Amino acid sequence: MDREFADRVFDVFQTACAAVEWSNQNMRYVMCCFPLVGAVVGGLVWLAGMGLADLPVGPQLRTVLLVLLPVVLTGGIHMDGFLDTMDALAS
Protein backbone atom coordinates (compact mmCIF):
# COMPACT_ATOMS: atom_id res chain seq x y z
CA MET A 1 0.00 0.00 0.00
CA ASP A 2 1.57 3.26 -1.06
CA ARG A 3 1.66 6.33 1.16
CA GLU A 4 -0.69 8.42 -1.01
CA PHE A 5 -3.41 5.74 -0.88
CA ALA A 6 -3.02 5.38 2.89
CA ASP A 7 -3.32 9.16 3.31
CA ARG A 8 -6.55 9.16 1.30
CA VAL A 9 -8.01 6.32 3.38
CA PHE A 10 -7.16 8.06 6.66
CA ASP A 11 -8.56 11.37 5.32
CA VAL A 12 -11.88 9.65 4.64
CA PHE A 13 -12.05 8.28 8.20
CA GLN A 14 -11.07 11.63 9.71
CA THR A 15 -13.59 13.50 7.57
CA ALA A 16 -16.36 11.10 8.57
CA CYS A 17 -15.52 11.47 12.26
CA ALA A 18 -15.11 15.23 12.08
CA ALA A 19 -18.48 15.65 10.33
CA VAL A 20 -20.35 14.60 13.47
CA GLU A 21 -20.95 17.13 16.21
CA TRP A 22 -20.67 15.13 19.40
CA SER A 23 -23.05 16.10 22.17
CA ASN A 24 -24.36 14.27 25.22
CA GLN A 25 -27.57 13.49 23.35
CA ASN A 26 -26.02 11.83 20.29
CA MET A 27 -22.99 10.24 21.97
CA ARG A 28 -25.16 7.37 23.13
CA TYR A 29 -25.49 6.26 19.49
CA VAL A 30 -21.74 5.93 18.94
CA MET A 31 -21.80 2.27 20.00
CA CYS A 32 -23.95 1.52 16.95
CA CYS A 33 -20.93 2.35 14.77
CA PHE A 34 -18.53 -0.05 16.50
CA PRO A 35 -19.61 -3.13 14.49
CA LEU A 36 -19.26 -1.16 11.26
CA VAL A 37 -15.75 0.01 12.18
CA GLY A 38 -14.84 -3.55 13.16
CA ALA A 39 -16.15 -4.86 9.84
CA VAL A 40 -14.16 -2.27 7.89
CA VAL A 41 -10.94 -2.98 9.81
CA GLY A 42 -11.51 -6.73 9.58
CA GLY A 43 -12.15 -6.47 5.84
CA LEU A 44 -8.95 -4.52 5.31
CA VAL A 45 -6.97 -7.08 7.32
CA TRP A 46 -8.56 -9.87 5.28
CA LEU A 47 -7.65 -8.12 2.02
CA ALA A 48 -4.09 -7.65 3.25
CA GLY A 49 -3.95 -11.32 4.19
CA MET A 50 -5.07 -12.34 0.72
CA GLY A 51 -2.47 -10.02 -0.80
CA LEU A 52 0.32 -11.28 1.44
CA ALA A 53 -0.54 -14.92 0.73
CA ASP A 54 0.91 -14.60 -2.78
CA LEU A 55 4.14 -12.90 -1.72
CA PRO A 56 7.25 -14.95 -1.04
CA VAL A 57 7.49 -14.05 2.66
CA GLY A 58 7.64 -16.36 5.62
CA PRO A 59 4.59 -17.05 7.77
CA GLN A 60 6.15 -15.25 10.74
CA LEU A 61 6.56 -11.97 8.84
CA ARG A 62 3.06 -12.33 7.37
CA THR A 63 1.64 -12.83 10.86
CA VAL A 64 3.46 -9.84 12.31
CA LEU A 65 2.23 -7.60 9.50
CA LEU A 66 -1.36 -8.80 9.88
CA VAL A 67 -1.29 -8.32 13.65
CA LEU A 68 0.13 -4.80 13.35
CA LEU A 69 -2.26 -3.67 10.61
CA PRO A 70 -5.30 -3.12 12.89
CA VAL A 71 -3.08 -1.21 15.31
CA VAL A 72 -1.95 1.06 12.48
CA LEU A 73 -5.47 1.48 11.07
CA THR A 74 -7.08 2.37 14.40
CA GLY A 75 -4.18 4.26 15.87
CA GLY A 76 -3.87 1.61 18.57
CA ILE A 77 -6.89 2.91 20.49
CA HIS A 78 -8.25 -0.61 21.06
CA MET A 79 -4.87 -1.66 22.45
CA ASP A 80 -5.10 1.01 25.16
CA GLY A 81 -8.07 -0.65 26.83
CA PHE A 82 -6.52 -4.09 26.48
CA LEU A 83 -3.22 -2.97 28.00
CA ASP A 84 -5.00 -1.13 30.85
CA THR A 85 -6.87 -4.34 31.65
CA MET A 86 -3.68 -6.42 31.56
CA ASP A 87 -1.97 -3.87 33.81
CA ALA A 88 -4.81 -4.05 36.31
CA LEU A 89 -4.86 -7.83 36.32
CA ALA A 90 -1.09 -8.06 36.76
CA SER A 91 -0.88 -5.64 39.67
Side-chain angles (χ1 to χ4, degrees), residues 55-77:
L55 295 179
V57 296
Q60 294 86 0
L61 178 59
R62 189 177 314 129
T63 301
V64 168
L65 292 173
L66 290 175
V67 168
L68 289 178
L69 185 59
V71 176
V72 171
L73 289 174
T74 63
I77 191 68

Side-chain angles (χ1 to χ4, degrees), residues 4-87:
E4 184 178 326
F5 175 74
D7 286 342
R8 277 190 253 137
V9 170
F10 290 128
D11 286 344
V12 169
F13 283 124
Q14 289 175 353
T15 303
C17 293
V20 177
E21 286 188 34
W22 295 111
S23 67
N24 287 337
Q25 184 177 6
N26 66 6
M27 277 184 90
R28 62 182 168 182
Y29 300 114
V30 74
M31 290 188 66
C32 297
C33 295
F34 288 169
L36 176 63
V37 171
V40 169
V41 171
L44 291 172
V45 171
W46 180 78
L47 285 173
M50 293 294 105
L52 287 172
D54 296 333
L55 295 179
V57 296
Q60 294 86 0
L61 178 59
R62 189 177 314 129
T63 301
V64 168
L65 292 173
L66 290 175
V67 168
L68 289 178
L69 185 59
V71 176
V72 171
L73 289 174
T74 63
I77 191 68
H78 65 287
M79 293 301 294
D80 180 56
F82 172 73
L83 293 174
D84 286 343
T85 301
M86 292 299 105
D87 184 41

